Amino acid sequence: MDLTTDQMKDACEKLFGDHPEDVIEPINSAEDALGQLMEIFHTIVNEASGNIECLRIKRLAEVGAYLAFDFANYTGSRYETMLERLVEQGIVSKRGKV
């Protein structure tokens, strides 16, 4: 049974209590936050560079930056895929809600 666009939108709102685009927006916010976290770690790496006593801090910050970058890429990719599917179904437009 194929659902109409309105039925899919209504089902999402009933299931999650929000418009489909609002349901996936936290993923986009997570990507932004992880990108900012990566920048913080890069700043720590740069500040700790050249100081042998800060070597452990530098290494931990490098790992943190890598993880933040990796998860930012993952969440960004998932958000784009979900948004694209919503657009393809006519549930949202690329510029916002339909």
Side-chain angles (χ1 to χ4, degrees):
M1 170 175 114
D2 288 337
L3 298 174
T4 67
T5 299
D6 287 338
Q7 288 172 324
M8 286 186 284
K9 181 180 161 282
D10 291 344
C12 184
E13 288 177 349
K14 185 175 183 178
L15 182 62
F16 297 110
D18 285 315
H19 185 276
E21 193 172 9
D22 295 333
V23 171
I24 66 169
E25 184 55 35
I27 298 169
N28 192 37
S29 297
E31 177 191 13
D32 290 341
L34 288 164
Q36 293 171 13
L37 188 58
M38 180 186 65
E39 290 301 321
I40 291 169
F41 282 125
H42 279 302
T43 300
I44 294 169
V45 168
N46 291 336
E47 291 294 321
S49 292
N51 185 341
I52 194 70
E53 292 150 3
C54 294
L55 186 59
R56 184 166 184 247
I57 292 169
K58 181 179 180 276
R59 288 186 181 156
L60 289 171
E62 288 170 341
V63 170
Y66 171 80
L67 290 172
F69 176 77
D70 195 39
F71 279 99
N73 280 342
Y74 172 72
T75 56
S77 174
R78 292 298 298 147
Y79 174 77
E80 288 300 320
T81 299
M82 291 176 183
L83 181 60
E84 185 178 300
R85 288 179 184 165
L86 292 173
V87 169
E88 287 172 358
Q89 295 298 317
I91 296 171
V92 300
S93 68
K94 202 62 164 156
R95 292 178 296 280
K97 299 175 189 173
V98 172

